[in-house]
Amino acid sequence: MRIHDFHKRNAESPDLGSLVFFEANRDIPFAFKRVYYTYGVKEGIIRGHHAHKALEQLLICVYGAIEIMCDDGEKKECTVLDDPAKGLYVGTGIWHTMKWLKDDSVLLVLASEYYDESDYIRDYDEFIRLVKEGYWKR
Ligand code: T46
């Protein structure tokens, strides 16, 4: 888990807003094959509850505020994403949940691989078993 600060260009007038960018393999540690986003979620809702075997992802809250809980099987860490110029890298073998802190916050995700349900571990006991077996080299 690591926060990435993206490049940001503020316009001369605040009313014109800001532009943020980052480049695969340069500003984030992988190239992405897939982009998805989650929206229309109410405050207090928690999604996720899974880990990935091989998928790497970058999570960005492009609007609102979302708390990401990451668990490597030994310790848990919570990060609040509330700045569209920052992204949280979530690597392989991290159990994670996403809690919406504000109605209609939007979570944008860049993923290193195409969608593959067999890459998901959706059972926490199985996740812990794999951690203990050393499935992921830490
Ligand atoms: C993750 C967190 C951050 C697809 O068919 N294609 C896709 O690319 C994705 C991402 C999902 N789906 C299907 C799978 C489920 O039937 O969409 C449905 C909802 O997915 P899920 O319940 O896994 O959604 P979240 O919000 O719990 O998790 C998602 C990603 O699935 C997951 O990889 O790490 O966002």
Side-chain angles (χ1 to χ4, degrees):
M1 297 85 73
R2 185 180 156 214
I3 284 282
H4 288 263
D5 282 289
F6 304 138
H7 304 283
K8 186 164 136 183
R9 299 286 181 264
N10 297 325
E12 292 108 57
S13 150
D15 289 351
L16 279 170
S18 303
L19 182 150
V20 168
F21 64 92
F22 54 89
E23 296 181 339
N25 292 327
R26 292 183 172 172
D27 302 306
I28 64 166
F30 62 91
F32 38 90
K33 288 186 180 163
R34 179 166 54 105
V35 175
Y36 60 90
Y37 44 92
T38 313
Y39 65 99
V41 181
K42 292 296 167 206
E43 181 184 330
I45 294 294
I46 303 178
R47 298 184 61 120
H49 303 284
H50 55 246
H52 286 284
K53 291 178 186 160
L55 191 71
E56 296 174 89
Q57 302 195 100
L58 190 81
L59 277 56
I60 305 161
C61 178
V62 288
Y63 177 79
I66 301 170
E67 182 184 76
I68 314 296
M69 189 283 299
C70 290
D71 174 358
D72 66 5
E74 290 182 351
K75 59 178 187 322
K76 295 179 181 162
E77 213 172 290
C78 286
T79 306
V80 174
L81 294 178
D82 58 2
D83 178 350
K86 291 183 192 295
L88 180 69
Y89 170 78
V90 179
T92 60
I94 302 293
W95 186 267
H96 55 282
T97 60
M98 305 85 73
K99 181 178 182 186
W100 262 249
L101 302 181
K102 285 184 188 164
D103 281 356
D104 296 324
S105 300
V106 178
L107 182 67
L108 175 72
V109 182
L110 288 85
S112 62
E113 298 297 336
Y114 300 122
Y115 175 70
D116 175 7
E117 184 59 36
S118 71
D119 188 72
Y120 285 73
I121 300 156
R122 294 189 184 272
D123 180 90
Y124 191 73
D125 291 340
E126 187 194 350
F127 167 67
I128 292 298
R129 184 178 59 75
L130 290 172
V131 169
K132 288 188 175 149
E133 280 176 6
Y135 185 89
W136 299 281
K137 305 283 168 260
R138 304 286 194 201

